[in-house]
């Protein structure tokens, strides 16, 4: 690819005549080695007796003599390896770095490269999150070299998951250190040369300094004459953010303290009602739901939950259940490289983080982690949620589910989650930074009522029609909104699901939630397909600004807890740490009260101590820079001034000092906030 590009450049700029041919001649400029990891040697790991340590090869299976199911073959093993003196690989000096690094997801690294390699890789690249894909080690290193002035630009082809939270942290870290994106295509079709599979990729170009870039978005894909697709692109110019967007910087949203599933690791825990009846009558078996149960139809399966019991207790009290998991879970767990899972083979892969939070709740709120349509549903507390269901245990019922089911939430989640074919719902990006409205009691009552009606309508229609699915209902709803004609099958779904009623409920809920935010001016615009895109961007700008406002409140110690009895319980000594801020009627009338009838519960955790305002200008500049660098969130000039105590007109100097720091590249303005 480099040679083709070089030839194209040469003939375009130099005219006729052949250039030197570095590919055909040995100029000793091509190195065949690992690009991210170097080491001195690899040795086999030995136990205390000097016998090689090995593990299951991760591929070979055998048939279990009792269950007849495929289980890991313990005789198919490969030795564990240790890399000696592992270190970051050095790259040759270059002005420009380009590449198409290997696409291996974080979850597949050990299977593809081996435990020893992955341990060495993560040990030397500690600044790359463990959740990041393999390609991000190249992206991070290239960005480092450009930020340090050792290269001018880098351009890489990566998976389109670059925008997802687990990879986006690497991109955001580079932007925070002086890198800007000069060019990006977030989602482009690609044919994998290895097996001809169609995949989706992203292209990014990074450069030093701050500045606008070019964002190209695929608008149409058609079959081409050769390999791959003919692609049509639209272009925007502007500041490119870590999620490869221009406009509202949703990726900069700060996680709000106010917003602060079960993981099975084995299908052997799941049983049918008939299988459950053959086990002990008092065995700890619960109803169970996963994502497909919610978007399609519940399968009626149950799950064995032995959390809190030792293996001996299970064998003594529930011998039939013990034998069930012994034969269906333990064979796979025995080959698990994670010691914790191997030691507790009879329990889920992870102790349920939801259990304590759900105590005392008659029901809770869930959404499917990856789904075409973002819906929120109520589940009874005696139903166990799968780890792929995002459980909102901190939300009081049912005002906030109404907000989450609105267009406000949909626009935010789509932008924050990083769009794939089925937009994922990452709680740390889609929920924790999301600012809820401060609704008046009347507004809250309206949203609560519509949320209950919406949930009841969907469940009622599905109960009345065995083949009706939530996905089918929302596919038809999407067509109704776009004005497309329905097929015969879709008309049947429309009648069974009363989808026009569903649309009316969503429309009224959207209007009620926008009213609670004070943004009713967007209601008509968001419902108009011709104006929806521009209105969505306006909505995102307002949500980002509201997030910054709430984050600044929390920096001052004021937290709007959603469910204070769970999120911020009483101090062990019995002294409550939170207190309700008194809001007079005039303020409530202007800004809106919190959800429900009561005033918002806000925790005051203590204000940041003030420091003396320095006398000399150099010390003033240094002090302001230190405060901004130490702050976990952007600050307004008023917030910044509140960090100092001084006499005279010293506050008038703050804007000039901030301008100076911005010119030096030490800080960046984000609207009225400074970071």
């Amino acid at each position: 690819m480099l040679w083709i590009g070089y030839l194209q450049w040469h003939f375009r700029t130099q005219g006729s005549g052949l250039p030197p041919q570095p590919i055909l001649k040995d100029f000793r400029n091509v190195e065949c080695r690992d690009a991210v990891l170097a080491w001195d040697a690899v040795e086999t790991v030995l136990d205390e007796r000097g016998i090689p340590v090995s593990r299951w090869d991760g591929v070979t299976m055998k048939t279990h003599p009792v269950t007849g199911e495929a289980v890991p073959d313990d005789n198919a093993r490969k030795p564990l390896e240790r890399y000696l003196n592992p270190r970051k690989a050095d790259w040759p000096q270059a002005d420009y770095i380009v590449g198409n690094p290997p696409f291996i997801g974080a979850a597949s690294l050990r299977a593809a490269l081996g435990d020893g390699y992955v341990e060495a890789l993560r040990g030397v690249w500690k600044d790359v999150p463990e959740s990041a894909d393999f390609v991000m080690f190249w992206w991070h290193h290239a960005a480092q070299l450009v930020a340090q002035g050792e290269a001018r630009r880098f351009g890489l082809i990566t998976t389109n998951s670059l925008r997802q939270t687990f990879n986006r942290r690497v991109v955001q870290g580079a932007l925070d250190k002086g890198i800007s994106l000069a060019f990006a295509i977030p989602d482009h079709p690609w044919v994998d040369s290895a097996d001809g599979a169609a995949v989706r990729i992203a292209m990014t170009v990074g450069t030093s300094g701050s500045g606008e870039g070019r964002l190209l978005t695929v608008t149409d894909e058609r079959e081409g004459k050769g390999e791959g697709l003919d692609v049509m692109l639209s272009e925007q110019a502007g500041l490119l953010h870590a999620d490869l967007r221009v406009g509202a910087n949703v990726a900069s949203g700060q996680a709000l303290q106010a917003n602060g599933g079960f993981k099975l690791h084995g299908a052997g825990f799941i049983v049918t009602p008939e299988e459950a009846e053959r086990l002990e009558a008092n065995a700890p078996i619960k109803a169970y739901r996963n994502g497909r149960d919610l978007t399609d139809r519940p399968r009626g399966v149950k799950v064995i939950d032995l959390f809190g019991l030792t293996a001996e207790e299970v064998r003594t009290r529930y011998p039939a259940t013990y034998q069930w998991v012994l034969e269906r879970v333990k064979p796979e767990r025995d080959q698990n490289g994670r010691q914790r899972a191997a030691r507790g083979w009879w329990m889920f892969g992870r102790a349920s983080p939801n259990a304590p939070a759900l105590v005392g709740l008659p029901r809770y709120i869930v959404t499917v982690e990856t789904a075409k349509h973002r819906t929120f549903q109520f589940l009874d507390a005696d139903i166990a949620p799968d780890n792929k269901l995002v459980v909102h245990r901190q939300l009081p019922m049912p005002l906030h589910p109404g907000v989450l089911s609105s267009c406000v939430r949909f626009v935010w989640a789509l932008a924050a989650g990083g769009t794939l074919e089925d937009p994922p719902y990452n709680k740390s990006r889609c929920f924790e930074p999301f600012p809820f409205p401060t609704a008046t009691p009347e507004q809250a009552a309206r949203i609560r009522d519509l949320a209950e009606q919406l949930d009841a309508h969907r469940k009622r229609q599905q109960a009345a029609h065995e083949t009706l699915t939530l996905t089918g209902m929302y596919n038809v709803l999407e067509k109704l909104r776009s004005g497309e004609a329905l097929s015969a099958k879709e008309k049947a779904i429309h009648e069974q699901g009363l989808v026009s009623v569903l649309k009316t409920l969503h429309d009224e809920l959207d209007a009620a939630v926008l009213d609670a935010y004070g943004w009713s001016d967007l209601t008509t615009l968001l419902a108009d397909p011709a104006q929806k895109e521009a209105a969505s961007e306006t909505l995102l700008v307002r949500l980002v600004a509201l997030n910054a406002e709430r984050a600044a409140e929390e920096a001052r110690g004021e937290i709007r807890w959603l469910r204070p009895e769970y999120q911020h319980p009483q101090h062990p000594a019995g002294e409550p740490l939170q207190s309700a801020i008194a809001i007079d009627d005039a303020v409530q009338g202007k800004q809106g009260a919190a959800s429900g009838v009561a005033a918002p519960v806000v925790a005051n955790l203590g204000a940041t101590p003030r420091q003396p305002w320095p006398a000399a200008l150099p010390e003033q500049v240094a002090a302001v820079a230190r405060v901004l660098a130490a702050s976990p969130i952007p600050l307004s000039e008023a917030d910044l001034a509140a960090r100092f105590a001084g006499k005279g007109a010293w506050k008038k100097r703050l804007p000039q000092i901030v301008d100076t720091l911005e010119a030096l590249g030490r800080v960046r303005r984000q609207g009225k906030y400074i970071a």
Side-chain angles (χ1 to χ4, degrees):
M1 287 192 299
L2 288 175
W3 180 232
I4 292 171
Y6 177 69
L7 287 174
Q8 291 174 336
W9 169 83
H10 174 82
F11 290 117
R12 185 170 64 247
T13 60
Q14 306 298 320
S16 60
L18 291 175
Q21 300 182 11
I23 299 300
L24 302 181
K25 293 184 179 181
D26 185 8
F27 283 93
R28 302 183 186 277
N29 60 341
V30 177
E31 302 178 32
C32 181
R33 58 181 173 87
D34 193 300
V36 290
L37 188 66
W39 61 88
D40 291 341
V42 180
E43 65 178 14
T44 300
V45 178
L46 305 177
D47 63 16
E48 63 275 3
R49 299 168 296 170
I51 299 175
V53 178
S54 62
R55 70 167 178 84
W56 175 51
D57 65 6
V59 177
T60 309
M61 308 292 283
K62 65 180 181 181
T63 302
H64 193 281
V66 176
T67 66
E69 297 176 356
V71 296
D73 185 352
D74 191 51
N75 294 317
R77 308 188 68 81
K78 60 182 180 181
L80 296 183
E81 296 178 328
R82 179 185 297 114
Y83 285 67
L84 303 181
N85 189 27
R87 56 196 179 275
K88 298 177 181 180
D90 291 326
W91 287 4
Q93 180 63 42
D95 295 314
Y96 299 96
I97 301 167
V98 295
N100 179 11
F103 297 175
I104 306 176
S108 305
L109 278 178
R110 291 183 181 275
L113 304 174
D115 290 332
Y117 183 93
V118 173
E119 293 296 336
L121 181 74
R122 289 176 172 164
V124 300
W125 289 97
K126 296 183 183 297
D127 40 2
V128 176
E130 288 196 10
S131 59
D133 292 342
F134 196 36
V135 69
M136 300 311 295
F137 289 88
W138 276 260
W139 209 100
H140 172 74
H141 191 34
Q144 274 190 324
L145 294 175
V146 171
Q148 295 164 3
E150 298 180 32
R152 294 171 62 181
R153 281 191 175 193
F154 69 92
L156 296 176
I157 294 172
T158 67
T159 59
N160 67 340
S161 61
L162 181 82
R163 297 170 295 161
Q164 300 301 300
T165 303
F166 49 87
N167 289 327
R168 196 165 65 203
R169 295 188 185 100
V170 176
V171 181
Q172 187 61 57
L175 298 182
D176 292 341
K177 294 180 180 178
I179 292 294
S180 63
L181 295 174
F183 175 91
I185 302 180
D187 186 49
H188 194 286
W190 187 266
V191 176
D192 192 325
S193 59
D195 57 11
V199 296
R200 311 293 298 187
I201 58 103
M203 307 181 199
T204 47
V205 174
T207 187
S208 61
S210 60
E212 294 188 348
R214 297 169 58 213
L215 175 66
L216 274 64
T217 304
V218 174
T219 57
D220 190 28
E221 302 173 19
R222 298 178 183 176
E223 289 293 334
K225 295 180 180 179
E227 190 179 65
L229 301 172
D230 288 339
V231 175
M232 299 294 292
L233 299 164
S234 65
E235 182 171 337
Q236 293 175 273
L239 184 64
L240 283 167
H241 306 305
D243 54 358
L244 305 190
R245 296 181 71 256
V246 297
N249 189 5
V250 178
S252 70
Q254 302 290 318
L256 301 175
Q257 295 183 57
N259 295 3
F262 289 97
K263 195 163 188 177
L264 301 185
H265 281 320
F269 291 109
I270 299 176
V271 293
T272 65
E274 295 75 22
E275 291 167 339
E277 288 181 2
R278 296 200 295 268
L279 303 178
E280 288 84 2
N282 63 337
I285 300 176
K286 303 176 179 179
Y288 173 72
R289 295 286 190 277
N290 67 7
R292 188 170 182 178
D293 291 327
L294 299 187
T295 60
D296 196 344
R297 302 286 303 186
R299 297 165 295 164
V301 298
K302 297 177 178 292
V303 66
I304 300 170
D305 182 9
L306 302 174
F307 176 69
L309 299 174
T310 66
E312 185 174 348
E313 288 172 334
V314 177
R315 187 175 62 242
T316 302
R317 296 164 59 180
Y318 315 111
T321 302
Y322 178 87
Q323 178 168 293
W324 180 276
V325 294
L326 178 74
E327 295 172 345
R328 291 163 176 79
V329 176
K330 192 172 187 297
E332 183 178 348
R333 286 292 181 86
D334 284 344
Q335 310 306 328
N336 196 310
R338 298 180 180 180
Q339 293 296 318
R340 177 180 173 188
R343 285 198 298 267
W345 60 267
W346 63 95
M347 292 190 295
F348 296 160
R350 182 179 303 166
S352 170
N354 300 311
L358 300 180
V359 171
L361 290 180
R363 54 182 180 162
Y364 58 95
I365 305 156
V366 297
T367 188
V368 182
E369 185 176 80
T370 301
K372 181 179 180 181
H373 304 290
R374 180 58 49 210
T375 60
F376 293 82
Q377 303 179 48
F378 301 141
L379 290 183
D380 292 338
D382 58 356
I383 297 176
D386 181 75
N387 67 294
K388 292 299 183 181
L389 297 182
V390 181
V391 177
H392 286 298
R393 54 193 180 273
Q394 63 273 70
L395 293 182
M397 292 289 187
L399 166 68
H400 292 86
V403 176
L404 295 181
S405 298
S406 71
C407 64
V408 177
R409 179 61 178 176
F410 174 79
V411 170
W412 173 271
L414 198 63
T419 307
L420 295 175
E421 183 177 353
D422 290 335
Y425 184 86
N426 184 288
K427 196 171 183 182
S428 65
R429 295 309 311 162
C430 295
F431 177 75
E432 291 176 6
F434 181 73
F436 283 87
T438 50
T440 65
E442 294 77 14
Q443 291 169 333
R446 175 63 173 160
I447 294 172
R448 280 199 303 271
D449 180 56
L450 288 168
E452 291 283 13
Q453 289 187 51
L454 180 63
D455 189 65
H457 175 79
R458 295 183 304 209
K459 289 177 177 175
R460 181 177 59 249
Q461 298 311 119
Q462 283 192 278
H465 303 279
E466 291 185 358
T467 60
L468 185 63
T469 67
L470 205 61
T471 299
M473 293 171 69
Y474 277 87
N475 282 340
V476 173
L477 174 61
E478 201 170 83
K479 278 204 165 184
L480 284 181
R481 285 175 167 165
S482 65
E484 296 180 63
L486 301 182
S487 66
K489 180 180 178 180
E490 289 166 340
K491 287 179 181 178
I493 294 174
H494 176 267
E495 291 305 312
Q496 292 176 348
L498 300 179
V499 179
S500 288
V501 176
L502 180 68
K503 179 179 181 298
T504 300
L505 287 169
H506 270 291
D507 290 346
E508 292 182 10
L509 182 61
D510 290 345
V513 172
L514 286 166
D515 180 57
Y517 278 100
W519 301 337
S520 294
D521 59 307
L522 296 178
T523 302
T524 304
L525 300 177
L526 287 167
D528 183 351
Q531 303 183 76
K532 184 176 180 179
E533 184 176 349
S536 296
E537 186 62 30
T538 300
L539 178 59
L540 287 174
V541 170
R542 294 181 184 182
L543 287 170
V544 170
L546 184 56
N547 167 270
E549 185 178 313
R550 295 285 172 79
E553 283 182 357
E554 293 189 353
R556 297 192 297 267
E558 301 171 5
I559 303 173
R560 301 168 184 255
W561 300 115
L562 301 177
R563 185 183 159 202
E565 70 277 11
Y566 163 68
Q567 295 173 287
H568 200 64
Q570 289 189 333
H571 189 272
E575 294 295 328
L577 288 179
Q578 59 188 18
S579 59
I581 287 185
I583 302 179
D584 59 34
D585 293 340
V587 175
Q588 284 195 7
K590 182 178 180 180
Q591 297 180 342
S595 58
V597 178
V601 176
V602 182
N604 192 330
L605 305 181
T608 304
R610 289 187 170 193
Q611 56 179 283
W613 180 252
L617 181 60
E619 287 77 13
Q620 294 168 2
V621 174
V624 171
R626 283 195 301 269
V627 167
L628 289 170
S631 175
I633 62 170
L635 302 176
S636 67
E637 288 187 4
D639 297 327
L640 187 57
R643 304 298 177 95
F644 296 97
K647 296 180 180 180
W650 61 272
K651 291 183 182 180
K652 294 182 178 180
R653 290 188 180 179
L654 271 180
Q656 181 181 0
I657 291 174
V658 171
D659 290 343
T660 301
L661 290 171
E662 184 178 27
L664 294 172
R666 298 283 300 278
V667 302
R668 182 184 299 179
R669 290 186 183 272
Q670 300 174 358
K672 65 178 182 178
Y673 294 94
I674 310 152

